[in-house]
Amino acid sequence: MRRHPKMQLSFLRPWAPHILSILRILAAATFLTHGTMKLLGWPAPFPYPLNGLLYVAAILEIVGGLLLIVGLFTRPVAFILSGQMAVAYFMGHAGQGFFPVLNGGEAAMLFCFVFLYIAAAGPGPWSADAAAGRD
């Protein structure tokens, strides 16, 4: 099947590495706020009491989020955070129903796969890893 060239959005191709950097930064900044809610009550108080597992999750969200924002140790950090979100999904959401939109697990599922993609694709050009030649 032959595709029409304009339908491929080929004009975006040169921007793909930079869009990857933007995806990494925005996903990490959003993820970071989940940790700051748990530990610092910012930007809003966390609505549940913290237990040991949530405390560890908060540390991973803050430290991992900061590392991903700057793009430092991107691949291993993104892989660890992807695993954290898979665990969060199956422990906290999957038992409440099959569909993520109904079990409240949309964010965990999306973070899991965005971080897995970043672990595979790397940080993009706007990162400390790229600046140090570690991509």
Side-chain angles (χ1 to χ4, degrees):
M1 176 178 198
R2 191 166 174 209
R3 294 183 181 172
H4 191 280
K6 290 185 181 183
M7 297 301 288
Q8 293 181 5
L9 300 176
S10 56
F11 70 93
L12 287 173
R13 206 168 283 139
W15 293 99
H18 300 91
I19 294 170
L20 172 60
S21 289
I22 293 167
L23 173 66
R24 185 197 80 245
I25 293 163
L26 292 178
T30 302
F31 192 69
L32 171 70
T33 63
H34 287 270
T36 60
M37 277 181 66
K38 289 178 184 83
L39 289 185
L40 307 174
W42 183 88
F46 191 65
Y48 308 105
L50 287 184
N51 58 28
L53 196 57
L54 287 173
Y55 185 77
V56 170
I59 298 294
L60 286 170
E61 290 159 0
I62 291 172
V63 173
L66 290 171
L67 287 170
L68 285 185
I69 287 170
V70 298
L72 185 61
F73 307 117
T74 302
R75 289 179 192 265
V77 169
F79 188 76
I80 290 166
L81 297 181
S82 175
Q84 176 196 357
M85 289 294 94
V87 169
Y89 182 81
F90 286 107
M91 286 185 73
H93 301 284
Q96 299 174 34
F98 179 76
F99 296 101
V101 70
L102 299 178
N103 68 26
E106 290 174 295
M109 181 189 64
L110 286 171
F111 278 127
C112 177
F113 284 97
V114 166
F115 292 148
L116 185 60
Y117 175 72
I118 292 168
W126 297 332
S127 67
D129 287 337
R134 286 192 303 250
D135 181 30

